[in-house]
Amino acid sequence: MLDEFISSNRRELIARCRHKVQRRSSPVGASDANGVPLFLQQLVDTLGKEQSAPDVLDPAPTPAPTTIGRGAALHGATLLRNGYTIDQVVHDYGDVCQAVTQLASEQRVSVTVDEFRILNRCLDNAIADAVTAFAEGNELHGGDVAVMNEQRRLVSVAVTAYAALQTGKLGLGGSTGTILAATLSRLAELLGAHAET
């Protein structure tokens, strides 16, 4: 049964997912407490419940919020805070499917059609909820993110201009001094406008 296979191979599946994430980027996905480890446990629970009730062949669409949905939403929000893209959110859950099917194939473990259907439905729900939370977080903080990115850029320009002026080879009245003054002025405007909102 797939739930027993996932339970007994949980560490290996997490390691495989972590490896896939590391090949693409940094390893937050597989190590995030709301990511792969939590999803695998929720998947095992779902498989156990649905396999113990075999008369439910085609359950109604999963109502929101589900346990998997809440965990996936937290995972999507974590990835947003850590600067990940929406593509990386989707890949985290795609990695689970690949890891499960590859390991099952390697160990010659058969996955029934019903088990695979449950796996895919859980993945679909997790992806949808993670992407929704990610997108909503992006919308809510989009203005803040844009302002913060602009502030970082301006601070970088100001520091660079100041460093150039410190060499003593450039005067405050020249182009570099003008850039520094304009940058600091724009930064002050942004901070003033942001503080008012």
Side-chain angles (χ1 to χ4, degrees), residues 122-139:
C122 289
L123 285 167
D124 286 345
N125 291 336
I127 291 169
D129 288 328
V131 167
T132 299
F134 185 93
E136 287 173 355
N138 223 4
E139 284 176 22

Side-chain angles (χ1 to χ4, degrees), residues 4 14 34-35 46 56 88 97-98 115 119 144 149-150 160 162 169 179-180 182 191-192 197:
E4 293 169 3
I14 291 169
N34 296 310
T46 302
V56 182
Q88 289 165 311
C97 186
Q98 286 181 355
E115 290 170 331
L119 169 63
D144 291 339
N149 287 339
E150 178 65 2
T160 303
Y162 180 74
K169 296 178 182 174
I179 289 171
L180 178 59
L191 290 172
T197 59

